[in-house]
């Protein structure tokens, strides 16, 4: 019986843990907006760290053959960061327009 009560208690707390306490459509949209913005900031941070890491490796391997590999990684990191920021900007423009 204690096990069932503890499972029911834990299950009743799951919406609070998952930010899923939705009382109306406005709070649902607000929760989704918060989670998407958090994910975007995470992706931006990871892209910047990727660029910085490969830049450091590019400098460290000054005379190696791997230098070209790190140069390409930096380029693709910058392209990825540009794509993330461009899509984020377009979504914000659409959000503010409508």
């Amino acid at each position: 019986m204690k096990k069932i009560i503890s499972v029911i208690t834990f299950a009743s707390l799951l919406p609070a843990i998952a930010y899923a306490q939705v009382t109306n459509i406005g709070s649902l949209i607000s929760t989704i907006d918060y989670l998407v913005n958090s994910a975007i900031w995470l992706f931006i941070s990871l892209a910047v760290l990727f660029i910085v890491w490969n830049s450091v490796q590019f400098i460290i391997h000054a005379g190696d053959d791997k230098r070209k590999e790190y140069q390409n990684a930096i380029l693709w990191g910058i392209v990825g960061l540009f794509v993330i920021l461009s899509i984020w900007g377009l979504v914000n423009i659409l959000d503010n327009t409508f």
Side-chain angles (χ1 to χ4, degrees):
M1 186 69 178
K2 281 185 174 181
K3 197 177 228 183
I4 293 173
I5 291 173
S6 64
V7 168
I8 291 172
T9 304
F10 181 71
S12 67
L13 291 176
L14 283 179
I17 294 170
Y19 298 109
Q21 294 175 336
V22 177
T23 56
N24 57 15
I25 192 73
S27 65
L28 174 66
I29 292 172
S30 175
T31 303
I32 291 171
D33 186 44
Y34 172 76
L35 292 174
V36 168
N37 281 333
S38 298
I40 289 171
W41 280 110
L42 177 69
F43 289 141
I44 291 171
S45 301
L46 289 174
V48 169
L49 285 174
F50 180 78
I51 293 168
V52 169
W53 174 258
N54 283 305
S55 298
V56 169
Q57 294 298 319
F58 180 77
I59 293 169
I60 289 172
H61 296 284
D64 292 344
D65 294 333
K66 287 188 171 186
R67 190 173 171 107
K68 186 71 173 170
E69 179 182 324
Y70 292 120
Q71 185 177 6
N72 286 335
I74 293 168
L75 176 68
W76 285 110
I78 292 171
V79 169
L81 183 62
F82 176 76
V83 168
I84 292 168
L85 292 175
S86 298
I87 292 173
W88 188 34
L90 289 173
V91 168
N92 280 331
I93 288 171
L94 289 174
D95 185 35
N96 292 333
T97 302
F98 299 111

